[in-house]
PDB file of all heavy atoms in Angstrom:
ATOM      1  N   ASN A1515     -24.678 -27.358 -32.216  1.00 91.00           N
ATOM      2  CA  ASN A1515     -25.231 -27.354 -33.586  1.00 91.00           C
ATOM      3  C   ASN A1515     -26.552 -28.160 -33.586  1.00 91.00           C
ATOM      4  O   ASN A1515     -26.990 -28.426 -34.744  1.00 91.00           O
ATOM      5  CB  ASN A1515     -24.165 -27.853 -34.483  1.00 91.00           C
ATOM      6  CG  ASN A1515     -23.745 -29.260 -34.187  1.00 91.00           C
ATOM      7  OD1 ASN A1515     -24.289 -29.987 -33.478  1.00 91.00           O
ATOM      8  ND2 ASN A1515     -22.664 -29.684 -34.935  1.00 91.00           N
ATOM      9  N   TYR A1516     -27.146 -28.728 -32.450  1.00 93.00           N
ATOM     10  CA  TYR A1516     -28.363 -29.399 -32.578  1.00 93.00           C
ATOM     11  C   TYR A1516     -29.154 -29.044 -31.351  1.00 93.00           C
ATOM     12  O   TYR A1516     -28.686 -29.000 -30.303  1.00 93.00           O
ATOM     13  CB  TYR A1516     -27.917 -30.945 -32.688  1.00 93.00           C
ATOM     14  CG  TYR A1516     -29.139 -31.849 -32.487  1.00 93.00           C
ATOM     15  CD1 TYR A1516     -30.202 -31.824 -33.530  1.00 93.00           C
ATOM     16  CD2 TYR A1516     -29.468 -32.669 -31.470  1.00 93.00           C
ATOM     17  CE1 TYR A1516     -31.235 -32.467 -33.583  1.00 93.00           C
ATOM     18  CE2 TYR A1516     -30.560 -33.424 -31.470  1.00 93.00           C
ATOM     19  CZ  TYR A1516     -31.486 -33.460 -32.469  1.00 93.00           C
ATOM     20  OH  TYR A1516     -32.575 -34.257 -32.278  1.00 93.00           O
ATOM     21  N   TYR A1520     -38.468 -31.165 -26.328  1.00 98.00           N
ATOM     22  CA  TYR A1520     -39.214 -32.351 -25.798  1.00 98.00           C
ATOM     23  C   TYR A1520     -40.407 -31.899 -24.974  1.00 98.00           C
ATOM     24  O   TYR A1520     -40.405 -30.871 -24.387  1.00 98.00           O
ATOM     25  CB  TYR A1520     -38.238 -33.145 -24.838  1.00 98.00           C
ATOM     26  CG  TYR A1520     -37.236 -34.029 -25.733  1.00 98.00           C
ATOM     27  CD1 TYR A1520     -36.004 -33.473 -26.051  1.00 98.00           C
ATOM     28  CD2 TYR A1520     -37.411 -35.308 -26.045  1.00 98.00           C
ATOM     29  CE1 TYR A1520     -35.153 -34.123 -26.791  1.00 98.00           C
ATOM     30  CE2 TYR A1520     -36.483 -36.005 -26.684  1.00 98.00           C
ATOM     31  CZ  TYR A1520     -35.390 -35.452 -27.148  1.00 98.00           C
ATOM     32  OH  TYR A1520     -34.353 -36.084 -27.866  1.00 98.00           O
ATOM     33  N   GLN A1522     -42.925 -33.471 -22.081  1.00 97.00           N
ATOM     34  CA  GLN A1522     -43.123 -34.516 -21.055  1.00 97.00           C
ATOM     35  C   GLN A1522     -44.422 -34.258 -20.328  1.00 97.00           C
ATOM     36  O   GLN A1522     -44.738 -33.318 -19.644  1.00 97.00           O
ATOM     37  CB  GLN A1522     -42.016 -34.468 -20.137  1.00 97.00           C
ATOM     38  CG  GLN A1522     -42.021 -35.663 -19.159  1.00 97.00           C
ATOM     39  CD  GLN A1522     -40.779 -35.695 -18.263  1.00 97.00           C
ATOM     40  OE1 GLN A1522     -40.291 -34.655 -17.835  1.00 97.00           O
ATOM     41  NE2 GLN A1522     -40.413 -36.919 -17.767  1.00 97.00           N
ATOM     42  N   LYS A1526     -44.838 -39.381 -17.568  1.00 96.00           N
ATOM     43  CA  LYS A1526     -44.370 -40.068 -18.783  1.00 96.00           C
ATOM     44  C   LYS A1526     -42.899 -39.744 -19.083  1.00 96.00           C
ATOM     45  O   LYS A1526     -42.383 -38.795 -18.377  1.00 96.00           O
ATOM     46  CB  LYS A1526     -45.421 -39.768 -19.882  1.00 96.00           C
ATOM     47  CG  LYS A1526     -46.731 -40.293 -19.502  1.00 96.00           C
ATOM     48  CD  LYS A1526     -47.611 -40.342 -20.793  1.00 96.00           C
ATOM     49  CE  LYS A1526     -48.968 -40.906 -20.529  1.00 96.00           C
ATOM     50  NZ  LYS A1526     -49.921 -41.001 -21.623  1.00 96.00           N
ATOM     51  N   ARG A1527     -42.502 -40.245 -20.194  1.00 97.00           N
ATOM     52  CA  ARG A1527     -41.162 -39.993 -20.605  1.00 97.00           C
ATOM     53  C   ARG A1527     -41.088 -38.806 -21.486  1.00 97.00           C
ATOM     54  O   ARG A1527     -42.109 -38.320 -22.079  1.00 97.00           O
ATOM     55  CB  ARG A1527     -40.591 -41.110 -21.384  1.00 97.00           C
ATOM     56  CG  ARG A1527     -41.335 -41.493 -22.623  1.00 97.00           C
ATOM     57  CD  ARG A1527     -41.028 -42.805 -23.218  1.00 97.00           C
ATOM     58  NE  ARG A1527     -41.938 -43.399 -24.209  1.00 97.00           N
ATOM     59  CZ  ARG A1527     -41.781 -43.224 -25.490  1.00 97.00           C
ATOM     60  NH1 ARG A1527     -40.757 -42.722 -26.028  1.00 97.00           N
ATOM     61  NH2 ARG A1527     -42.725 -43.638 -26.333  1.00 97.00           N
ATOM     62  N   PRO A1528     -39.996 -38.056 -21.535  1.00 97.00           N
ATOM     63  CA  PRO A1528     -39.916 -36.883 -22.537  1.00 97.00           C
ATOM     64  C   PRO A1528     -39.946 -37.523 -23.999  1.00 97.00           C
ATOM     65  O   PRO A1528     -39.415 -38.544 -24.241  1.00 97.00           O
ATOM     66  CB  PRO A1528     -38.587 -36.257 -22.246  1.00 97.00           C
ATOM     67  CG  PRO A1528     -38.160 -36.859 -20.861  1.00 97.00           C
ATOM     68  CD  PRO A1528     -38.781 -38.171 -20.628  1.00 97.00           C
ATOM     69  N   LEU A1530     -39.637 -36.258 -28.126  1.00 96.00           N
ATOM     70  CA  LEU A1530     -39.261 -35.290 -29.052  1.00 96.00           C
ATOM     71  C   LEU A1530     -40.311 -34.791 -29.942  1.00 96.00           C
ATOM     72  O   LEU A1530     -41.244 -35.573 -30.366  1.00 96.00           O
ATOM     73  CB  LEU A1530     -38.141 -35.941 -30.042  1.00 96.00           C
ATOM     74  CG  LEU A1530     -37.685 -35.036 -31.084  1.00 96.00           C
ATOM     75  CD1 LEU A1530     -36.680 -33.995 -30.588  1.00 96.00           C
ATOM     76  CD2 LEU A1530     -36.931 -35.808 -32.200  1.00 96.00           C
ATOM     77  N   ARG A1535     -31.327 -27.943 -36.587  1.00 91.00           N
ATOM     78  CA  ARG A1535     -29.837 -27.958 -36.717  1.00 91.00           C
ATOM     79  C   ARG A1535     -29.315 -26.577 -36.972  1.00 91.00           C
ATOM     80  O   ARG A1535     -30.082 -25.769 -37.543  1.00 91.00           O
ATOM     81  CB  ARG A1535     -29.434 -29.050 -37.650  1.00 91.00           C
ATOM     82  CG  ARG A1535     -29.644 -30.456 -37.101  1.00 91.00           C
ATOM     83  CD  ARG A1535     -29.403 -31.574 -37.999  1.00 91.00           C
ATOM     84  NE  ARG A1535     -29.348 -32.774 -37.310  1.00 91.00           N
ATOM     85  CZ  ARG A1535     -30.541 -33.562 -36.920  1.00 91.00           C
ATOM     86  NH1 ARG A1535     -31.703 -33.025 -37.164  1.00 91.00           N
ATOM     87  NH2 ARG A1535     -30.421 -34.701 -36.323  1.00 91.00           N
ATOM     88  N   PHE A1573     -39.138 -29.098 -22.540  1.00 97.00           N
ATOM     89  CA  PHE A1573     -37.634 -28.971 -22.312  1.00 97.00           C
ATOM     90  C   PHE A1573     -36.989 -28.558 -23.661  1.00 97.00           C
ATOM     91  O   PHE A1573     -37.221 -29.265 -24.675  1.00 97.00           O
ATOM     92  CB  PHE A1573     -37.028 -30.306 -21.749  1.00 97.00           C
ATOM     93  CG  PHE A1573     -37.630 -30.747 -20.404  1.00 97.00           C
ATOM     94  CD1 PHE A1573     -38.563 -31.556 -20.251  1.00 97.00           C
ATOM     95  CD2 PHE A1573     -36.906 -30.206 -19.247  1.00 97.00           C
ATOM     96  CE1 PHE A1573     -39.098 -31.966 -18.922  1.00 97.00           C
ATOM     97  CE2 PHE A1573     -37.240 -30.595 -18.022  1.00 97.00           C
ATOM     98  CZ  PHE A1573     -38.387 -31.373 -17.760  1.00 97.00           C
ATOM     99  N   SER A1577     -26.857 -29.466 -28.055  1.00 92.00           N
ATOM    100  CA  SER A1577     -25.730 -30.368 -28.064  1.00 92.00           C
ATOM    101  C   SER A1577     -24.503 -29.775 -27.594  1.00 92.00           C
ATOM    102  O   SER A1577     -24.146 -28.749 -27.919  1.00 92.00           O
ATOM    103  CB  SER A1577     -25.577 -30.915 -29.568  1.00 92.00           C
ATOM    104  OG  SER A1577     -25.170 -29.847 -30.352  1.00 92.00           O
ATOM    105  N   GLY A1580     -20.503 -32.940 -29.400  1.00 72.00           N
ATOM    106  CA  GLY A1580     -20.928 -34.168 -30.159  1.00 72.00           C
ATOM    107  C   GLY A1580     -22.284 -34.684 -29.832  1.00 72.00           C
ATOM    108  O   GLY A1580     -23.343 -33.920 -30.020  1.00 72.00           O
ATOM    109  N   ASN A1581     -22.336 -35.882 -29.255  1.00 78.00           N
ATOM    110  CA  ASN A1581     -23.632 -36.434 -28.918  1.00 78.00           C
ATOM    111  C   ASN A1581     -24.262 -35.907 -27.610  1.00 78.00           C
ATOM    112  O   ASN A1581     -25.486 -36.279 -27.435  1.00 78.00           O
ATOM    113  CB  ASN A1581     -23.483 -37.975 -28.882  1.00 78.00           C
ATOM    114  CG  ASN A1581     -23.419 -38.532 -30.218  1.00 78.00           C
ATOM    115  OD1 ASN A1581     -23.654 -37.898 -31.190  1.00 78.00           O
ATOM    116  ND2 ASN A1581     -23.049 -39.864 -30.334  1.00 78.00           N
ATOM    117  N   LYS A1582     -23.595 -35.439 -26.780  1.00 88.00           N
ATOM    118  CA  LYS A1582     -24.081 -35.013 -25.456  1.00 88.00           C
ATOM    119  C   LYS A1582     -25.169 -33.928 -25.528  1.00 88.00           C
ATOM    120  O   LYS A1582     -24.915 -32.917 -26.277  1.00 88.00           O
ATOM    121  CB  LYS A1582     -22.939 -34.616 -24.652  1.00 88.00           C
ATOM    122  CG  LYS A1582     -23.264 -34.300 -23.040  1.00 88.00           C
ATOM    123  CD  LYS A1582     -21.949 -34.074 -22.516  1.00 88.00           C
ATOM    124  CE  LYS A1582     -22.170 -33.543 -21.082  1.00 88.00           C
ATOM    125  NZ  LYS A1582     -20.845 -33.290 -20.283  1.00 88.00           N
ATOM    126  N   LEU A1583     -26.279 -34.149 -24.903  1.00 91.00           N
ATOM    127  CA  LEU A1583     -27.328 -33.111 -24.868  1.00 91.00           C
ATOM    128  C   LEU A1583     -27.460 -32.584 -23.400  1.00 91.00           C
ATOM    129  O   LEU A1583     -27.536 -33.338 -22.425  1.00 91.00           O
ATOM    130  CB  LEU A1583     -28.687 -33.690 -25.223  1.00 91.00           C
ATOM    131  CG  LEU A1583     -28.905 -33.843 -26.744  1.00 91.00           C
ATOM    132  CD1 LEU A1583     -30.477 -34.405 -26.907  1.00 91.00           C
ATOM    133  CD2 LEU A1583     -28.784 -32.607 -27.467  1.00 91.00           C
ATOM    134  N   PHE A1585     -29.905 -30.276 -21.115  1.00 95.00           N
ATOM    135  CA  PHE A1585     -31.372 -29.856 -20.996  1.00 95.00           C
ATOM    136  C   PHE A1585     -31.466 -28.531 -20.271  1.00 95.00           C
ATOM    137  O   PHE A1585     -30.903 -28.324 -19.327  1.00 95.00           O
ATOM    138  CB  PHE A1585     -32.222 -30.959 -20.459  1.00 95.00           C
ATOM    139  CG  PHE A1585     -32.538 -32.070 -21.548  1.00 95.00           C
ATOM    140  CD1 PHE A1585     -31.578 -33.048 -21.594  1.00 95.00           C
ATOM    141  CD2 PHE A1585     -33.714 -32.070 -22.127  1.00 95.00           C
ATOM    142  CE1 PHE A1585     -31.752 -34.132 -22.523  1.00 95.00           C
ATOM    143  CE2 PHE A1585     -33.890 -33.034 -23.017  1.00 95.00           C
ATOM    144  CZ  PHE A1585     -33.002 -34.092 -23.166  1.00 95.00           C
TER     145      PHE A1585
ATOM    146  N   SER B 641     -25.637 -44.934 -29.716  1.00 95.00           N
ATOM    147  CA  SER B 641     -25.286 -44.146 -28.479  1.00 95.00           C
ATOM    148  C   SER B 641     -26.411 -44.476 -27.402  1.00 95.00           C
ATOM    149  O   SER B 641     -27.604 -44.462 -27.752  1.00 95.00           O
ATOM    150  CB  SER B 641     -25.289 -42.685 -28.759  1.00 95.00           C
ATOM    151  OG  SER B 641     -24.340 -42.388 -29.755  1.00 95.00           O
ATOM    152  N   PHE B 643     -27.666 -43.398 -23.291  1.00 97.00           N
ATOM    153  CA  PHE B 643     -27.424 -42.296 -22.295  1.00 97.00           C
ATOM    154  C   PHE B 643     -28.277 -42.717 -21.044  1.00 97.00           C
ATOM    155  O   PHE B 643     -29.421 -43.256 -21.139  1.00 97.00           O
ATOM    156  CB  PHE B 643     -28.057 -40.944 -22.773  1.00 97.00           C
ATOM    157  CG  PHE B 643     -27.482 -40.434 -24.094  1.00 97.00           C
ATOM    158  CD1 PHE B 643     -27.950 -41.026 -25.305  1.00 97.00           C
ATOM    159  CD2 PHE B 643     -26.492 -39.477 -24.206  1.00 97.00           C
ATOM    160  CE1 PHE B 643     -27.277 -40.573 -26.453  1.00 97.00           C
ATOM    161  CE2 PHE B 643     -25.971 -39.047 -25.281  1.00 97.00           C
ATOM    162  CZ  PHE B 643     -26.358 -39.597 -26.623  1.00 97.00           C
ATOM    163  N   TYR B 645     -29.988 -40.738 -17.833  1.00 97.00           N
ATOM    164  CA  TYR B 645     -30.322 -39.440 -17.169  1.00 97.00           C
ATOM    165  C   TYR B 645     -30.989 -39.654 -15.898  1.00 97.00           C
ATOM    166  O   TYR B 645     -31.621 -40.728 -15.646  1.00 97.00           O
ATOM    167  CB  TYR B 645     -31.281 -38.635 -18.228  1.00 97.00           C
ATOM    168  CG  TYR B 645     -30.643 -37.877 -19.367  1.00 97.00           C
ATOM    169  CD1 TYR B 645     -30.396 -38.621 -20.462  1.00 97.00           C
ATOM    170  CD2 TYR B 645     -30.172 -36.624 -19.193  1.00 97.00           C
ATOM    171  CE1 TYR B 645     -29.797 -37.939 -21.618  1.00 97.00           C
ATOM    172  CE2 TYR B 645     -29.678 -35.946 -20.313  1.00 97.00           C
ATOM    173  CZ  TYR B 645     -29.457 -36.530 -21.533  1.00 97.00           C
ATOM    174  OH  TYR B 645     -28.752 -35.935 -22.582  1.00 97.00           O
ATOM    175  N   GLN B 647     -33.736 -37.696 -13.309  1.00 97.00           N
ATOM    176  CA  GLN B 647     -34.767 -36.490 -13.206  1.00 97.00           C
ATOM    177  C   GLN B 647     -35.252 -36.330 -11.746  1.00 97.00           C
ATOM    178  O   GLN B 647     -35.785 -37.224 -11.240  1.00 97.00           O
ATOM    179  CB  GLN B 647     -35.913 -36.635 -14.233  1.00 97.00           C
ATOM    180  CG  GLN B 647     -36.711 -35.465 -14.356  1.00 97.00           C
ATOM    181  CD  GLN B 647     -37.850 -35.527 -15.390  1.00 97.00           C
ATOM    182  OE1 GLN B 647     -38.351 -36.628 -15.617  1.00 97.00           O
ATOM    183  NE2 GLN B 647     -38.075 -34.421 -16.033  1.00 97.00           N
ATOM    184  N   LEU B 655     -27.579 -35.502 -17.150  1.00 94.00           N
ATOM    185  CA  LEU B 655     -26.991 -36.528 -17.846  1.00 94.00           C
ATOM    186  C   LEU B 655     -25.937 -37.128 -16.930  1.00 94.00           C
ATOM    187  O   LEU B 655     -25.054 -36.440 -16.376  1.00 94.00           O
ATOM    188  CB  LEU B 655     -26.220 -36.105 -19.073  1.00 94.00           C
ATOM    189  CG  LEU B 655     -25.366 -37.121 -19.794  1.00 94.00           C
ATOM    190  CD1 LEU B 655     -26.350 -38.255 -20.422  1.00 94.00           C
ATOM    191  CD2 LEU B 655     -24.630 -36.390 -20.887  1.00 94.00           C
ATOM    192  N   ASN B 660     -20.943 -44.575 -26.516  1.00 94.00           N
ATOM    193  CA  ASN B 660     -21.043 -44.508 -28.003  1.00 94.00           C
ATOM    194  C   ASN B 660     -20.331 -45.987 -28.413  1.00 94.00           C
ATOM    195  O   ASN B 660     -19.246 -46.316 -28.095  1.00 94.00           O
ATOM    196  CB  ASN B 660     -20.142 -43.398 -28.580  1.00 94.00           C
ATOM    197  CG  ASN B 660     -20.568 -43.077 -29.907  1.00 94.00           C
ATOM    198  OD1 ASN B 660     -21.725 -43.047 -30.297  1.00 94.00           O
ATOM    199  ND2 ASN B 660     -19.722 -42.762 -30.778  1.00 94.00           N
ATOM    200  N   ASP B 666     -18.540 -40.244 -21.693  1.00 91.00           N
ATOM    201  CA  ASP B 666     -18.421 -39.040 -20.784  1.00 91.00           C
ATOM    202  C   ASP B 666     -19.271 -39.586 -19.509  1.00 91.00           C
ATOM    203  O   ASP B 666     -20.379 -39.791 -19.587  1.00 91.00           O
ATOM    204  CB  ASP B 666     -19.024 -38.035 -21.371  1.00 91.00           C
ATOM    205  CG  ASP B 666     -19.021 -36.677 -20.452  1.00 91.00           C
ATOM    206  OD1 ASP B 666     -18.791 -36.754 -19.253  1.00 91.00           O
ATOM    207  OD2 ASP B 666     -19.195 -35.509 -21.003  1.00 91.00           O
ATOM    208  N   SER B 668     -18.869 -37.754 -16.602  1.00 91.00           N
ATOM    209  CA  SER B 668     -18.627 -36.644 -15.706  1.00 91.00           C
ATOM    210  C   SER B 668     -19.934 -36.273 -14.899  1.00 91.00           C
ATOM    211  O   SER B 668     -19.756 -35.634 -13.833  1.00 91.00           O
ATOM    212  CB  SER B 668     -18.186 -35.391 -16.443  1.00 91.00           C
ATOM    213  OG  SER B 668     -19.154 -35.028 -17.486  1.00 91.00           O
ATOM    214  N   PHE B 701     -33.747 -42.297 -16.301  1.00 98.00           N
ATOM    215  CA  PHE B 701     -34.179 -42.463 -17.667  1.00 98.00           C
ATOM    216  C   PHE B 701     -33.019 -43.002 -18.461  1.00 98.00           C
ATOM    217  O   PHE B 701     -31.875 -42.484 -18.390  1.00 98.00           O
ATOM    218  CB  PHE B 701     -34.694 -41.191 -18.486  1.00 98.00           C
ATOM    219  CG  PHE B 701     -36.104 -40.787 -18.128  1.00 98.00           C
ATOM    220  CD1 PHE B 701     -36.250 -39.761 -17.169  1.00 98.00           C
ATOM    221  CD2 PHE B 701     -37.241 -41.487 -18.585  1.00 98.00           C
ATOM    222  CE1 PHE B 701     -37.551 -39.409 -16.816  1.00 98.00           C
ATOM    223  CE2 PHE B 701     -38.533 -41.126 -18.247  1.00 98.00           C
ATOM    224  CZ  PHE B 701     -38.673 -40.021 -17.331  1.00 98.00           C
ATOM    225  N   ARG B 708     -29.252 -39.800 -36.498  1.00 78.00           N
ATOM    226  CA  ARG B 708     -30.078 -38.434 -36.515  1.00 78.00           C
ATOM    227  C   ARG B 708     -29.879 -37.701 -35.274  1.00 78.00           C
ATOM    228  O   ARG B 708     -30.352 -36.540 -35.154  1.00 78.00           O
ATOM    229  CB  ARG B 708     -31.505 -38.844 -36.811  1.00 78.00           C
ATOM    230  CG  ARG B 708     -31.928 -39.304 -38.142  1.00 78.00           C
ATOM    231  CD  ARG B 708     -31.841 -38.262 -39.245  1.00 78.00           C
ATOM    232  NE  ARG B 708     -32.758 -37.253 -38.886  1.00 78.00           N
ATOM    233  CZ  ARG B 708     -32.761 -36.075 -39.660  1.00 78.00           C
ATOM    234  NH1 ARG B 708     -31.764 -35.848 -40.569  1.00 78.00           N
ATOM    235  NH2 ARG B 708     -33.622 -35.055 -39.340  1.00 78.00           N
ATOM    236  N   ARG B 709     -29.337 -38.199 -34.219  1.00 83.00           N
ATOM    237  CA  ARG B 709     -28.941 -37.666 -32.955  1.00 83.00           C
ATOM    238  C   ARG B 709     -30.182 -37.476 -32.041  1.00 83.00           C
ATOM    239  O   ARG B 709     -29.974 -36.894 -30.951  1.00 83.00           O
ATOM    240  CB  ARG B 709     -28.136 -36.366 -33.243  1.00 83.00           C
ATOM    241  CG  ARG B 709     -26.855 -36.599 -34.014  1.00 83.00           C
ATOM    242  CD  ARG B 709     -26.276 -35.333 -34.190  1.00 83.00           C
ATOM    243  NE  ARG B 709     -25.678 -34.664 -33.099  1.00 83.00           N
ATOM    244  CZ  ARG B 709     -25.223 -33.421 -32.985  1.00 83.00           C
ATOM    245  NH1 ARG B 709     -25.116 -32.696 -34.104  1.00 83.00           N
ATOM    246  NH2 ARG B 709     -24.760 -32.830 -31.844  1.00 83.00           N
ATOM    247  N   SER B 710     -31.400 -37.661 -32.497  1.00 89.00           N
ATOM    248  CA  SER B 710     -32.507 -37.348 -31.680  1.00 89.00           C
ATOM    249  C   SER B 710     -32.611 -38.517 -30.577  1.00 89.00           C
ATOM    250  O   SER B 710     -32.484 -39.638 -31.007  1.00 89.00           O
ATOM    251  CB  SER B 710     -33.729 -37.374 -32.463  1.00 89.00           C
ATOM    252  OG  SER B 710     -33.998 -38.501 -33.136  1.00 89.00           O
ATOM    253  N   LEU B 711     -32.766 -38.038 -29.408  1.00 93.00           N
ATOM    254  CA  LEU B 711     -32.868 -39.064 -28.314  1.00 93.00           C
ATOM    255  C   LEU B 711     -34.230 -39.646 -28.154  1.00 93.00           C
ATOM    256  O   LEU B 711     -35.246 -38.928 -28.213  1.00 93.00           O
ATOM    257  CB  LEU B 711     -32.537 -38.323 -26.906  1.00 93.00           C
ATOM    258  CG  LEU B 711     -31.128 -37.913 -26.512  1.00 93.00           C
ATOM    259  CD1 LEU B 711     -31.106 -37.422 -25.073  1.00 93.00           C
ATOM    260  CD2 LEU B 711     -30.244 -39.134 -26.607  1.00 93.00           C
ATOM    261  N   PHE B 713     -36.256 -41.724 -25.348  1.00 97.00           N
ATOM    262  CA  PHE B 713     -36.156 -42.175 -24.099  1.00 97.00           C
ATOM    263  C   PHE B 713     -37.102 -43.432 -23.692  1.00 97.00           C
ATOM    264  O   PHE B 713     -38.191 -43.576 -24.326  1.00 97.00           O
ATOM    265  CB  PHE B 713     -36.857 -40.936 -23.142  1.00 97.00           C
ATOM    266  CG  PHE B 713     -35.883 -39.851 -22.872  1.00 97.00           C
ATOM    267  CD1 PHE B 713     -35.845 -38.789 -23.883  1.00 97.00           C
ATOM    268  CD2 PHE B 713     -35.187 -39.736 -21.821  1.00 97.00           C
ATOM    269  CE1 PHE B 713     -34.952 -37.658 -23.759  1.00 97.00           C
ATOM    270  CE2 PHE B 713     -34.222 -38.602 -21.651  1.00 97.00           C
ATOM    271  CZ  PHE B 713     -34.190 -37.583 -22.591  1.00 97.00           C
ATOM    272  N   GLY B 714     -36.662 -44.086 -22.740  1.00 98.00           N
ATOM    273  CA  GLY B 714     -37.417 -45.093 -22.198  1.00 98.00           C
ATOM    274  C   GLY B 714     -38.495 -44.655 -21.225  1.00 98.00           C
ATOM    275  O   GLY B 714     -38.476 -43.462 -20.979  1.00 98.00           O
ATOM    276  N   ASN B 715     -39.265 -45.461 -20.661  1.00 97.00           N
ATOM    277  CA  ASN B 715     -40.382 -45.013 -19.732  1.00 97.00           C
ATOM    278  C   ASN B 715     -39.823 -44.764 -18.335  1.00 97.00           C
ATOM    279  O   ASN B 715     -40.621 -44.253 -17.514  1.00 97.00           O
ATOM    280  CB  ASN B 715     -41.426 -46.112 -19.619  1.00 97.00           C
ATOM    281  CG  ASN B 715     -42.252 -46.154 -20.929  1.00 97.00           C
ATOM    282  OD1 ASN B 715     -42.551 -45.091 -21.547  1.00 97.00           O
ATOM    283  ND2 ASN B 715     -42.727 -47.327 -21.335  1.00 97.00           N
TER     284      ASN B 715
END
Side-chain angles (χ1 to χ4, degrees):
Chain A
N1515 58 12
Y1516 176 62
Y1520 285 81
Q1522 186 177 28
K1526 298 195 175 178
R1527 61 192 166 100
L1530 178 72
R1535 287 170 169 80
F1573 293 94
S1577 64
N1581 280 350
K1582 185 173 172 179
L1583 280 183
F1585 283 81
Chain B
S641 297
F643 305 77
Y645 281 87
Q647 186 175 38
L655 177 65
N660 203 38
D666 185 343
S668 59
F701 285 104
R708 293 285 301 167
R709 299 175 70 188
S710 56
L711 281 186
F713 284 84
N715 286 323

